[in-house]
Each structure stands twice: as C-alpha cells, then as structure tokens.
mmCIF file of all heavy atoms in Angstrom:
data_model
loop_
_atom_site.group_PDB
_atom_site.id
_atom_site.type_symbol
_atom_site.label_atom_id
_atom_site.label_comp_id
_atom_site.label_asym_id
_atom_site.label_seq_id
_atom_site.Cartn_x
_atom_site.Cartn_y
_atom_site.Cartn_z
ATOM 1 N N MET S 286 0.809 -1.250 -0.016
ATOM 2 C CA MET S 286 0.041 -0.037 -0.083
ATOM 3 C C MET S 286 0.870 1.217 0.004
ATOM 4 O O MET S 286 1.837 1.373 0.718
ATOM 5 C CB MET S 286 -0.937 0.026 1.243
ATOM 6 C CG MET S 286 -1.910 -1.117 1.209
ATOM 7 S SD MET S 286 -3.120 -1.046 -0.095
ATOM 8 C CE MET S 286 -4.153 0.199 0.608
ATOM 9 N N ARG S 287 0.526 2.130 -0.780
ATOM 10 C CA ARG S 287 1.229 3.491 -0.821
ATOM 11 C C ARG S 287 0.760 4.313 0.224
ATOM 12 O O ARG S 287 -0.354 4.311 0.710
ATOM 13 C CB ARG S 287 0.919 4.169 -2.184
ATOM 14 C CG ARG S 287 1.437 3.231 -3.327
ATOM 15 C CD ARG S 287 2.727 3.883 -3.851
ATOM 16 N NE ARG S 287 3.317 3.070 -4.930
ATOM 17 C CZ ARG S 287 4.549 3.040 -5.249
ATOM 18 N NH1 ARG S 287 5.349 3.744 -4.629
ATOM 19 N NH2 ARG S 287 4.972 2.305 -6.300
ATOM 20 N N ARG S 288 1.645 5.259 0.694
ATOM 21 C CA ARG S 288 1.215 6.257 1.628
ATOM 22 C C ARG S 288 0.286 7.274 0.931
ATOM 23 O O ARG S 288 0.473 7.597 -0.275
ATOM 24 C CB ARG S 288 2.486 7.058 2.155
ATOM 25 C CG ARG S 288 3.236 6.156 3.176
ATOM 26 C CD ARG S 288 4.541 6.880 3.440
ATOM 27 N NE ARG S 288 5.399 6.670 2.325
ATOM 28 C CZ ARG S 288 6.694 7.065 2.269
ATOM 29 N NH1 ARG S 288 7.175 7.725 3.306
ATOM 30 N NH2 ARG S 288 7.406 6.961 1.199
ATOM 31 N N PRO S 289 -0.803 7.617 1.687
ATOM 32 C CA PRO S 289 -1.732 8.403 1.030
ATOM 33 C C PRO S 289 -1.312 9.823 0.668
ATOM 34 O O PRO S 289 -1.854 10.493 -0.250
ATOM 35 C CB PRO S 289 -2.853 8.509 2.176
ATOM 36 C CG PRO S 289 -2.133 8.228 3.364
ATOM 37 C CD PRO S 289 -1.051 7.329 3.040
ATOM 38 N N ASP S 290 -0.378 10.381 1.386
ATOM 39 C CA ASP S 290 0.084 11.794 1.012
ATOM 40 C C ASP S 290 1.659 11.787 0.996
ATOM 41 O O ASP S 290 2.371 12.087 1.970
ATOM 42 C CB ASP S 290 -0.408 12.607 2.205
ATOM 43 C CG ASP S 290 -0.068 14.130 1.775
ATOM 44 O OD1 ASP S 290 0.446 14.502 0.786
ATOM 45 O OD2 ASP S 290 -0.437 14.979 2.602
ATOM 46 N N PRO S 291 2.156 11.476 -0.151
ATOM 47 C CA PRO S 291 3.618 11.559 -0.397
ATOM 48 C C PRO S 291 4.171 12.928 -0.295
ATOM 49 O O PRO S 291 5.471 13.075 -0.104
ATOM 50 C CB PRO S 291 3.800 10.973 -1.819
ATOM 51 C CG PRO S 291 2.496 11.250 -2.474
ATOM 52 C CD PRO S 291 1.500 11.188 -1.434
ATOM 53 N N SER S 292 3.495 13.948 -0.379
ATOM 54 C CA SER S 292 4.031 15.247 -0.261
ATOM 55 C C SER S 292 4.533 15.593 1.090
ATOM 56 O O SER S 292 5.341 16.485 1.306
ATOM 57 C CB SER S 292 2.971 16.287 -0.624
ATOM 58 O OG SER S 292 1.913 16.245 0.269
ATOM 59 N N VAL S 293 4.210 14.871 2.071
ATOM 60 C CA VAL S 293 4.597 15.077 3.475
ATOM 61 C C VAL S 293 6.073 14.682 3.576
ATOM 62 O O VAL S 293 6.896 15.287 4.210
ATOM 63 C CB VAL S 293 3.826 14.253 4.419
ATOM 64 C CG1 VAL S 293 4.369 14.382 5.876
ATOM 65 C CG2 VAL S 293 2.328 14.762 4.470
ATOM 66 N N ASP S 294 6.512 13.597 2.845
ATOM 67 C CA ASP S 294 7.857 13.109 2.809
ATOM 68 C C ASP S 294 8.700 13.800 1.814
ATOM 69 O O ASP S 294 8.935 13.231 0.711
ATOM 70 C CB ASP S 294 7.799 11.620 2.660
ATOM 71 C CG ASP S 294 9.123 10.931 2.945
ATOM 72 O OD1 ASP S 294 9.893 11.618 3.587
ATOM 73 O OD2 ASP S 294 9.309 9.755 2.598
ATOM 74 N N THR S 295 9.109 14.996 2.075
ATOM 75 C CA THR S 295 9.771 15.799 1.166
ATOM 76 C C THR S 295 11.291 15.692 1.083
ATOM 77 O O THR S 295 12.062 16.076 0.238
ATOM 78 C CB THR S 295 9.487 17.330 1.379
ATOM 79 O OG1 THR S 295 9.751 17.645 2.733
ATOM 80 C CG2 THR S 295 8.038 17.590 1.183
ATOM 81 N N SER S 296 11.769 14.927 2.143
ATOM 82 C CA SER S 296 13.204 14.849 2.401
ATOM 83 C C SER S 296 13.797 13.565 1.824
ATOM 84 O O SER S 296 14.986 13.369 1.926
ATOM 85 C CB SER S 296 13.511 15.120 3.847
ATOM 86 O OG SER S 296 12.813 14.211 4.640
ATOM 87 N N GLY S 297 12.979 12.649 1.384
ATOM 88 C CA GLY S 297 13.400 11.453 0.774
ATOM 89 C C GLY S 297 13.956 10.445 1.849
ATOM 90 O O GLY S 297 13.592 10.520 3.080
ATOM 91 N N ASP S 298 14.759 9.491 1.385
ATOM 92 C CA ASP S 298 15.197 8.469 2.383
ATOM 93 C C ASP S 298 16.384 8.805 3.168
ATOM 94 O O ASP S 298 16.785 8.022 4.095
ATOM 95 C CB ASP S 298 15.547 7.168 1.501
ATOM 96 C CG ASP S 298 14.311 6.415 1.023
ATOM 97 O OD1 ASP S 298 13.273 6.785 1.695
ATOM 98 O OD2 ASP S 298 14.390 5.638 0.218
ATOM 99 N N ARG S 299 17.027 9.958 2.921
ATOM 100 C CA ARG S 299 18.164 10.245 3.615
ATOM 101 C C ARG S 299 17.920 10.615 5.100
ATOM 102 O O ARG S 299 18.741 10.235 5.921
ATOM 103 C CB ARG S 299 18.965 11.406 2.909
ATOM 104 C CG ARG S 299 19.415 10.971 1.551
ATOM 105 C CD ARG S 299 20.771 11.670 1.263
ATOM 106 N NE ARG S 299 21.698 11.633 2.256
ATOM 107 C CZ ARG S 299 22.985 11.417 2.158
ATOM 108 N NH1 ARG S 299 23.457 11.289 0.894
ATOM 109 N NH2 ARG S 299 23.761 11.436 3.092
ATOM 110 N N THR S 300 16.914 11.338 5.304
ATOM 111 C CA THR S 300 16.534 11.624 6.711
ATOM 112 C C THR S 300 15.628 10.471 7.245
ATOM 113 O O THR S 300 15.221 9.700 6.525
ATOM 114 C CB THR S 300 15.844 12.986 6.833
ATOM 115 O OG1 THR S 300 14.785 12.982 5.867
ATOM 116 C CG2 THR S 300 16.792 14.027 6.446
ATOM 117 N N GLY S 301 15.329 10.550 8.470
ATOM 118 C CA GLY S 301 14.625 9.499 9.170
ATOM 119 C C GLY S 301 13.165 9.295 8.698
ATOM 120 O O GLY S 301 12.544 10.341 8.277
ATOM 121 N N ALA S 302 12.709 8.125 8.812
ATOM 122 C CA ALA S 302 11.307 7.945 8.546
ATOM 123 C C ALA S 302 10.529 8.436 9.875
ATOM 124 O O ALA S 302 11.019 8.602 10.900
ATOM 125 C CB ALA S 302 11.075 6.407 8.423
ATOM 126 N N GLU S 303 9.234 8.652 9.635
ATOM 127 C CA GLU S 303 8.404 9.105 10.722
ATOM 128 C C GLU S 303 8.178 7.941 11.708
ATOM 129 O O GLU S 303 7.712 6.954 11.397
ATOM 130 C CB GLU S 303 7.142 9.693 10.152
ATOM 131 C CG GLU S 303 6.364 10.352 11.331
ATOM 132 C CD GLU S 303 5.082 10.996 10.787
ATOM 133 O OE1 GLU S 303 5.171 11.855 9.889
ATOM 134 O OE2 GLU S 303 4.015 10.649 11.198
ATOM 135 N N CYS S 304 8.442 8.290 12.935
ATOM 136 C CA CYS S 304 8.151 7.334 14.028
ATOM 137 C C CYS S 304 6.711 7.078 14.163
ATOM 138 O O CYS S 304 5.901 8.042 14.337
ATOM 139 C CB CYS S 304 8.815 7.788 15.316
ATOM 140 S SG CYS S 304 8.428 6.752 16.731
ATOM 141 N N PRO S 305 6.285 5.780 14.189
ATOM 142 C CA PRO S 305 4.868 5.507 14.367
ATOM 143 C C PRO S 305 4.355 5.746 15.786
ATOM 144 O O PRO S 305 3.133 5.715 15.998
ATOM 145 C CB PRO S 305 4.733 4.040 14.003
ATOM 146 C CG PRO S 305 6.112 3.484 14.242
ATOM 147 C CD PRO S 305 7.115 4.542 13.911
ATOM 148 N N TYR S 306 5.323 5.839 16.762
ATOM 149 C CA TYR S 306 4.944 6.042 18.098
ATOM 150 C C TYR S 306 4.771 7.428 18.523
ATOM 151 O O TYR S 306 3.801 7.825 19.222
ATOM 152 C CB TYR S 306 6.019 5.349 19.036
ATOM 153 C CG TYR S 306 6.140 3.836 18.719
ATOM 154 C CD1 TYR S 306 7.336 3.432 18.084
ATOM 155 C CD2 TYR S 306 5.140 2.964 18.999
ATOM 156 C CE1 TYR S 306 7.589 2.117 17.785
ATOM 157 C CE2 TYR S 306 5.350 1.641 18.690
ATOM 158 C CZ TYR S 306 6.575 1.223 18.071
ATOM 159 O OH TYR S 306 6.727 -0.150 17.743
ATOM 160 N N CYS S 307 5.757 8.289 18.126
ATOM 161 C CA CYS S 307 5.647 9.607 18.617
ATOM 162 C C CYS S 307 5.651 10.718 17.428
ATOM 163 O O CYS S 307 5.450 11.867 17.633
ATOM 164 C CB CYS S 307 6.926 9.980 19.451
ATOM 165 S SG CYS S 307 8.437 9.981 18.594
ATOM 166 N N GLY S 308 5.804 10.177 16.170
ATOM 167 C CA GLY S 308 5.628 11.055 15.015
ATOM 168 C C GLY S 308 6.999 11.789 14.694
ATOM 169 O O GLY S 308 6.970 12.601 13.820
ATOM 170 N N SER S 309 7.999 11.547 15.469
ATOM 171 C CA SER S 309 9.304 12.301 15.213
ATOM 172 C C SER S 309 9.947 11.756 13.985
ATOM 173 O O SER S 309 9.782 10.653 13.616
ATOM 174 C CB SER S 309 10.167 12.140 16.385
ATOM 175 O OG SER S 309 11.452 12.672 16.136
ATOM 176 N N THR S 310 10.633 12.602 13.246
ATOM 177 C CA THR S 310 11.447 12.145 12.142
ATOM 178 C C THR S 310 12.874 12.104 12.568
ATOM 179 O O THR S 310 13.748 11.969 11.637
ATOM 180 C CB THR S 310 11.214 13.127 11.009
ATOM 181 O OG1 THR S 310 11.518 14.464 11.361
ATOM 182 C CG2 THR S 310 9.937 13.063 10.418
ATOM 183 N N ASP S 311 13.187 12.229 13.784
ATOM 184 C CA ASP S 311 14.564 12.110 14.214
ATOM 185 C C ASP S 311 14.897 10.613 14.471
ATOM 186 O O ASP S 311 14.929 10.078 15.615
ATOM 187 C CB ASP S 311 14.789 12.826 15.556
ATOM 188 C CG ASP S 311 16.167 12.789 16.043
ATOM 189 O OD1 ASP S 311 17.016 12.406 15.328
ATOM 190 O OD2 ASP S 311 16.337 13.128 17.251
ATOM 191 N N THR S 312 15.005 9.904 13.307
ATOM 192 C CA THR S 312 15.179 8.436 13.392
ATOM 193 C C THR S 312 16.416 8.017 12.565
ATOM 194 O O THR S 312 16.841 8.817 11.675
ATOM 195 C CB THR S 312 13.909 7.751 12.807
ATOM 196 O OG1 THR S 312 13.756 8.152 11.423
ATOM 197 C CG2 THR S 312 12.670 8.086 13.627
ATOM 198 N N GLU S 313 16.867 6.909 12.897
ATOM 199 C CA GLU S 313 18.052 6.402 12.192
ATOM 200 C C GLU S 313 17.599 5.053 11.487
ATOM 201 O O GLU S 313 16.843 4.299 11.966
ATOM 202 C CB GLU S 313 19.196 6.102 13.120
ATOM 203 C CG GLU S 313 19.703 7.379 13.742
ATOM 204 C CD GLU S 313 20.788 6.982 14.717
ATOM 205 O OE1 GLU S 313 21.108 5.790 14.891
ATOM 206 O OE2 GLU S 313 21.439 7.961 15.305
ATOM 207 N N ARG S 314 18.180 4.909 10.255
ATOM 208 C CA ARG S 314 17.903 3.653 9.601
ATOM 209 C C ARG S 314 18.895 2.577 10.028
ATOM 210 O O ARG S 314 20.208 2.796 10.081
ATOM 211 C CB ARG S 314 18.056 3.867 8.065
ATOM 212 C CG ARG S 314 17.534 2.683 7.275
ATOM 213 C CD ARG S 314 17.423 3.112 5.788
ATOM 214 N NE ARG S 314 16.856 1.985 5.095
ATOM 215 C CZ ARG S 314 16.283 2.236 3.753
ATOM 216 N NH1 ARG S 314 16.272 3.372 3.261
ATOM 217 N NH2 ARG S 314 15.848 1.205 3.163
ATOM 218 N N GLU S 315 18.464 1.376 10.189
ATOM 219 C CA GLU S 315 19.267 0.322 10.556
ATOM 220 C C GLU S 315 19.243 -0.744 9.491
ATOM 221 O O GLU S 315 18.228 -0.873 8.793
ATOM 222 C CB GLU S 315 18.886 -0.265 11.880
ATOM 223 C CG GLU S 315 18.991 0.692 13.073
ATOM 224 C CD GLU S 315 18.668 0.144 14.385
ATOM 225 O OE1 GLU S 315 17.994 -0.947 14.436
ATOM 226 O OE2 GLU S 315 19.126 0.691 15.434
ATOM 227 N N HIS S 316 20.317 -1.550 9.399
ATOM 228 C CA HIS S 316 20.367 -2.509 8.332
ATOM 229 C C HIS S 316 19.921 -3.802 8.846
ATOM 230 O O HIS S 316 20.382 -4.379 9.874
ATOM 231 C CB HIS S 316 21.770 -2.722 7.790
ATOM 232 C CG HIS S 316 22.350 -1.434 7.227
ATOM 233 N ND1 HIS S 316 21.963 -1.061 5.977
ATOM 234 C CD2 HIS S 316 23.133 -0.462 7.707
ATOM 235 C CE1 HIS S 316 22.629 0.196 5.700
ATOM 236 N NE2 HIS S 316 23.340 0.481 6.809
ATOM 237 N N PRO S 317 18.856 -4.397 8.257
ATOM 238 C CA PRO S 317 18.412 -5.647 8.685
ATOM 239 C C PRO S 317 19.405 -6.822 8.486
ATOM 240 O O PRO S 317 20.128 -6.755 7.506
ATOM 241 C CB PRO S 317 17.132 -5.884 7.810
ATOM 242 C CG PRO S 317 17.374 -5.109 6.526
ATOM 243 C CD PRO S 317 18.210 -3.881 7.032
ATOM 244 N N LYS S 318 19.366 -7.795 9.267
ATOM 245 C CA LYS S 318 20.212 -8.954 9.257
ATOM 246 C C LYS S 318 19.846 -9.927 8.106
ATOM 247 O O LYS S 318 20.631 -10.460 7.384
ATOM 248 C CB LYS S 318 20.264 -9.671 10.503
ATOM 249 C CG LYS S 318 20.789 -8.801 11.655
ATOM 250 C CD LYS S 318 20.775 -9.518 13.008
ATOM 251 C CE LYS S 318 21.307 -8.708 14.171
ATOM 252 N NZ LYS S 318 21.082 -9.335 15.406
ATOM 253 N N GLY S 319 18.566 -10.114 7.962
ATOM 254 C CA GLY S 319 17.950 -11.052 7.013
ATOM 255 C C GLY S 319 17.783 -10.364 5.676
ATOM 256 O O GLY S 319 17.947 -9.197 5.435
ATOM 257 N N PRO S 320 17.326 -11.273 4.707
ATOM 258 C CA PRO S 320 17.054 -10.760 3.319
ATOM 259 C C PRO S 320 15.716 -10.074 3.144
ATOM 260 O O PRO S 320 15.003 -10.264 2.166
ATOM 261 C CB PRO S 320 17.149 -12.072 2.563
ATOM 262 C CG PRO S 320 16.671 -13.096 3.436
ATOM 263 C CD PRO S 320 17.045 -12.695 4.920
ATOM 264 N N SER S 321 15.415 -9.248 4.082
ATOM 265 C CA SER S 321 14.073 -8.646 4.041
ATOM 266 C C SER S 321 14.184 -7.330 3.299
ATOM 267 O O SER S 321 14.310 -6.275 3.986
ATOM 268 C CB SER S 321 13.516 -8.481 5.405
ATOM 269 O OG SER S 321 14.523 -7.815 6.321
ATOM 270 N N LEU S 322 14.248 -7.413 2.058
ATOM 271 C CA LEU S 322 14.551 -6.224 1.220
ATOM 272 C C LEU S 322 13.192 -5.310 1.144
ATOM 273 O O LEU S 322 13.337 -4.161 0.776
ATOM 274 C CB LEU S 322 14.945 -6.569 -0.229
ATOM 275 C CG LEU S 322 16.238 -7.436 -0.215
ATOM 276 C CD1 LEU S 322 16.528 -7.822 -1.646
ATOM 277 C CD2 LEU S 322 17.374 -6.627 0.377
ATOM 278 N N CYS S 323 12.173 -5.809 1.455
ATOM 279 C CA CYS S 323 10.890 -5.044 1.254
ATOM 280 C C CYS S 323 10.573 -4.229 2.488
ATOM 281 O O CYS S 323 9.584 -3.510 2.578
ATOM 282 C CB CYS S 323 9.647 -5.955 0.935
ATOM 283 S SG CYS S 323 9.315 -7.169 2.240
ATOM 284 N N ARG S 324 11.400 -4.334 3.501
ATOM 285 C CA ARG S 324 11.210 -3.513 4.675
ATOM 286 C C ARG S 324 12.505 -3.096 5.257
ATOM 287 O O ARG S 324 13.578 -3.636 4.991
ATOM 288 C CB ARG S 324 10.343 -4.296 5.730
ATOM 289 C CG ARG S 324 11.153 -5.453 6.244
ATOM 290 C CD ARG S 324 10.299 -6.278 7.149
ATOM 291 N NE ARG S 324 10.958 -7.381 7.681
ATOM 292 C CZ ARG S 324 10.398 -8.349 8.491
ATOM 293 N NH1 ARG S 324 9.182 -8.221 8.857
ATOM 294 N NH2 ARG S 324 11.136 -9.359 8.949
ATOM 295 N N SER S 325 12.535 -2.060 6.065
ATOM 296 C CA SER S 325 13.771 -1.574 6.688
ATOM 297 C C SER S 325 13.485 -1.325 8.094
ATOM 298 O O SER S 325 12.402 -1.058 8.578
ATOM 299 C CB SER S 325 14.196 -0.301 5.951
ATOM 300 O OG SER S 325 13.195 0.635 6.023
ATOM 301 N N MET S 326 14.591 -1.375 8.906
ATOM 302 C CA MET S 326 14.461 -1.141 10.356
ATOM 303 C C MET S 326 14.907 0.290 10.599
ATOM 304 O O MET S 326 15.900 0.720 10.080
ATOM 305 C CB MET S 326 15.442 -2.152 10.988
ATOM 306 C CG MET S 326 14.909 -3.634 11.055
ATOM 307 S SD MET S 326 13.314 -3.731 11.810
ATOM 308 C CE MET S 326 13.580 -3.211 13.510
ATOM 309 N N HIS S 327 14.241 0.892 11.502
ATOM 310 C CA HIS S 327 14.611 2.270 11.872
ATOM 311 C C HIS S 327 14.501 2.318 13.381
ATOM 312 O O HIS S 327 13.904 1.492 14.085
ATOM 313 C CB HIS S 327 13.541 3.313 11.322
ATOM 314 C CG HIS S 327 13.499 3.308 9.850
ATOM 315 N ND1 HIS S 327 14.192 4.205 9.113
ATOM 316 C CD2 HIS S 327 12.908 2.469 8.951
ATOM 317 C CE1 HIS S 327 13.982 4.098 7.811
ATOM 318 N NE2 HIS S 327 13.221 2.991 7.710
ATOM 319 N N TYR S 328 15.262 3.365 13.922
ATOM 320 C CA TYR S 328 15.307 3.484 15.343
ATOM 321 C C TYR S 328 15.057 4.937 15.630
ATOM 322 O O TYR S 328 15.619 5.852 15.128
ATOM 323 C CB TYR S 328 16.716 3.111 15.914
ATOM 324 C CG TYR S 328 16.877 3.214 17.362
ATOM 325 C CD1 TYR S 328 16.377 2.249 18.186
ATOM 326 C CD2 TYR S 328 17.427 4.433 17.899
ATOM 327 C CE1 TYR S 328 16.501 2.406 19.523
ATOM 328 C CE2 TYR S 328 17.573 4.516 19.301
ATOM 329 C CZ TYR S 328 17.070 3.479 20.104
ATOM 330 O OH TYR S 328 17.228 3.626 21.441
ATOM 331 N N CYS S 329 14.104 5.132 16.523
ATOM 332 C CA CYS S 329 13.633 6.527 16.852
ATOM 333 C C CYS S 329 14.576 7.076 17.991
ATOM 334 O O CYS S 329 14.647 6.516 19.050
ATOM 335 C CB CYS S 329 12.146 6.535 17.271
ATOM 336 S SG CYS S 329 11.660 8.230 17.702
ATOM 337 N N ASN S 330 15.201 8.221 17.769
ATOM 338 C CA ASN S 330 15.997 8.806 18.767
ATOM 339 C C ASN S 330 15.134 9.559 19.788
ATOM 340 O O ASN S 330 15.617 9.839 20.893
ATOM 341 C CB ASN S 330 17.003 9.839 18.128
ATOM 342 C CG ASN S 330 18.017 9.033 17.350
ATOM 343 O OD1 ASN S 330 18.512 8.099 17.677
ATOM 344 N ND2 ASN S 330 18.319 9.551 16.144
ATOM 345 N N ALA S 331 13.957 9.972 19.430
ATOM 346 C CA ALA S 331 13.163 10.713 20.286
ATOM 347 C C ALA S 331 12.619 9.862 21.394
ATOM 348 O O ALA S 331 12.609 10.168 22.632
ATOM 349 C CB ALA S 331 11.999 11.347 19.550
ATOM 350 N N CYS S 332 11.945 8.694 21.055
ATOM 351 C CA CYS S 332 11.386 7.855 22.126
ATOM 352 C C CYS S 332 12.156 6.557 22.258
ATOM 353 O O CYS S 332 11.694 5.677 23.065
ATOM 354 C CB CYS S 332 9.904 7.588 21.779
ATOM 355 S SG CYS S 332 9.619 6.646 20.294
ATOM 356 N N GLU S 333 13.199 6.360 21.655
ATOM 357 C CA GLU S 333 14.049 5.214 21.740
ATOM 358 C C GLU S 333 13.369 3.987 21.448
ATOM 359 O O GLU S 333 13.436 2.923 22.219
ATOM 360 C CB GLU S 333 14.741 5.318 23.113
ATOM 361 C CG GLU S 333 15.626 6.474 23.313
ATOM 362 C CD GLU S 333 16.359 6.598 24.682
ATOM 363 O OE1 GLU S 333 15.786 5.881 25.611
ATOM 364 O OE2 GLU S 333 17.425 7.074 24.729
ATOM 365 N N GLN S 334 12.649 3.927 20.410
ATOM 366 C CA GLN S 334 11.892 2.777 20.015
ATOM 367 C C GLN S 334 12.370 2.313 18.655
ATOM 368 O O GLN S 334 12.328 3.147 17.675
ATOM 369 C CB GLN S 334 10.378 2.996 20.049
ATOM 370 C CG GLN S 334 9.803 3.225 21.380
ATOM 371 C CD GLN S 334 9.685 1.954 22.134
ATOM 372 O OE1 GLN S 334 9.659 0.831 21.682
ATOM 373 N NE2 GLN S 334 9.732 2.024 23.522
ATOM 374 N N PRO S 335 12.677 1.040 18.450
ATOM 375 C CA PRO S 335 12.859 0.535 17.007
ATOM 376 C C PRO S 335 11.547 0.250 16.396
ATOM 377 O O PRO S 335 10.588 -0.079 17.059
ATOM 378 C CB PRO S 335 13.662 -0.751 17.342
ATOM 379 C CG PRO S 335 13.209 -1.344 18.649
ATOM 380 C CD PRO S 335 12.852 -0.038 19.496
ATOM 381 N N PHE S 336 11.542 0.488 15.078
ATOM 382 C CA PHE S 336 10.264 0.142 14.367
ATOM 383 C C PHE S 336 10.660 -0.219 12.927
ATOM 384 O O PHE S 336 11.676 0.138 12.407
ATOM 385 C CB PHE S 336 9.359 1.361 14.329
ATOM 386 C CG PHE S 336 9.844 2.629 13.724
ATOM 387 C CD1 PHE S 336 9.560 2.890 12.352
ATOM 388 C CD2 PHE S 336 10.566 3.508 14.513
ATOM 389 C CE1 PHE S 336 10.149 4.009 11.774
ATOM 390 C CE2 PHE S 336 11.092 4.601 13.886
ATOM 391 C CZ PHE S 336 10.864 4.937 12.511
ATOM 392 N N GLU S 337 9.736 -0.990 12.295
ATOM 393 C CA GLU S 337 9.918 -1.404 10.897
ATOM 394 C C GLU S 337 9.118 -0.424 9.975
ATOM 395 O O GLU S 337 7.996 0.028 10.427
ATOM 396 C CB GLU S 337 9.423 -2.827 10.662
ATOM 397 C CG GLU S 337 10.323 -3.829 11.348
ATOM 398 C CD GLU S 337 9.833 -5.216 10.983
ATOM 399 O OE1 GLU S 337 8.827 -5.379 10.421
ATOM 400 O OE2 GLU S 337 10.494 -6.170 11.414
ATOM 401 N N LYS S 338 9.696 -0.216 8.836
ATOM 402 C CA LYS S 338 9.019 0.590 7.895
ATOM 403 C C LYS S 338 8.980 -0.204 6.582
ATOM 404 O O LYS S 338 10.058 -0.679 6.076
ATOM 405 C CB LYS S 338 9.702 1.925 7.597
ATOM 406 C CG LYS S 338 8.930 2.766 6.613
ATOM 407 C CD LYS S 338 9.818 4.054 6.541
ATOM 408 C CE LYS S 338 9.323 4.906 5.258
ATOM 409 N NZ LYS S 338 8.228 5.711 5.568
ATOM 410 N N PHE S 339 7.793 -0.463 6.063
ATOM 411 C CA PHE S 339 7.593 -1.192 4.792
ATOM 412 C C PHE S 339 7.775 -0.240 3.653
ATOM 413 O O PHE S 339 7.215 0.807 3.604
ATOM 414 C CB PHE S 339 6.226 -1.974 4.790
ATOM 415 C CG PHE S 339 6.235 -3.049 5.821
ATOM 416 C CD1 PHE S 339 5.812 -2.751 7.081
ATOM 417 C CD2 PHE S 339 6.584 -4.281 5.417
ATOM 418 C CE1 PHE S 339 5.710 -3.803 8.037
ATOM 419 C CE2 PHE S 339 6.505 -5.364 6.371
ATOM 420 C CZ PHE S 339 6.120 -5.106 7.696
ATOM 421 N N GLU S 340 8.467 -0.702 2.619
ATOM 422 C CA GLU S 340 8.748 0.139 1.464
ATOM 423 C C GLU S 340 8.124 -0.431 0.239
ATOM 424 O O GLU S 340 7.842 -1.652 0.140
ATOM 425 C CB GLU S 340 10.088 0.425 1.297
ATOM 426 C CG GLU S 340 10.753 1.114 2.497
ATOM 427 C CD GLU S 340 12.239 1.414 2.284
ATOM 428 O OE1 GLU S 340 12.842 0.722 1.438
ATOM 429 O OE2 GLU S 340 12.798 2.312 2.927
HETATM 430 ZN ZN1 ZN U 435 9.471 7.952 18.354
#
C-alpha cells in the first residue's frame, strides 16, 4: 500500500522515517540482518523505540 500523502515526505530516504509511536522524524535507519528487502529497520532517537517501515 502506498502512503496516502507523499508530499509530506519531502526529504526522501536520507533523513529519518516518521516514528509511528511519537511522530518524530529524528530516526536512524538500521540494516536488517536477513534478506528482508521489502522493509527496513529504523530506530527513533526521540522515544528510543525501534520500528519497521515497509517500502
Ligand atoms: Zn518515536
């Protein structure tokens, strides 16, 4: 499923994804260990929660 409003994500993949817990974009991308190419791991610096983002 595509995100309904792509215009919100104006900074591309270089900056953090939006945290689903607190909405912060102060996140870091982490590299998954497995061959899960369709998703990526991120870590929120604001609330210190890891989360997955599907792409
Ligand atoms: Zn957060």
Side-chain angles (χ1 to χ4, degrees):
M286 296 295 285
R287 297 259 178 203
R288 282 170 290 183
D290 189 0
S292 65
V293 175
D294 193 13
T295 55
S296 49
D298 281 344
R299 294 214 47 142
T300 51
E303 184 177 301
C304 174
Y306 302 109
C307 69
S309 174
T310 53
D311 183 15
T312 59
E313 296 179 356
R314 187 169 186 161
E315 297 185 340
H316 299 283
K318 297 176 182 177
S321 51
L322 298 177
C323 62
R324 64 185 180 183
S325 57
M326 290 299 299
H327 297 263
Y328 181 82
C329 178
N330 292 316
C332 65
E333 301 184 328
Q334 291 286 337
F336 61 93
E337 288 184 357
K338 182 182 169 79
F339 292 88
E340 296 182 340

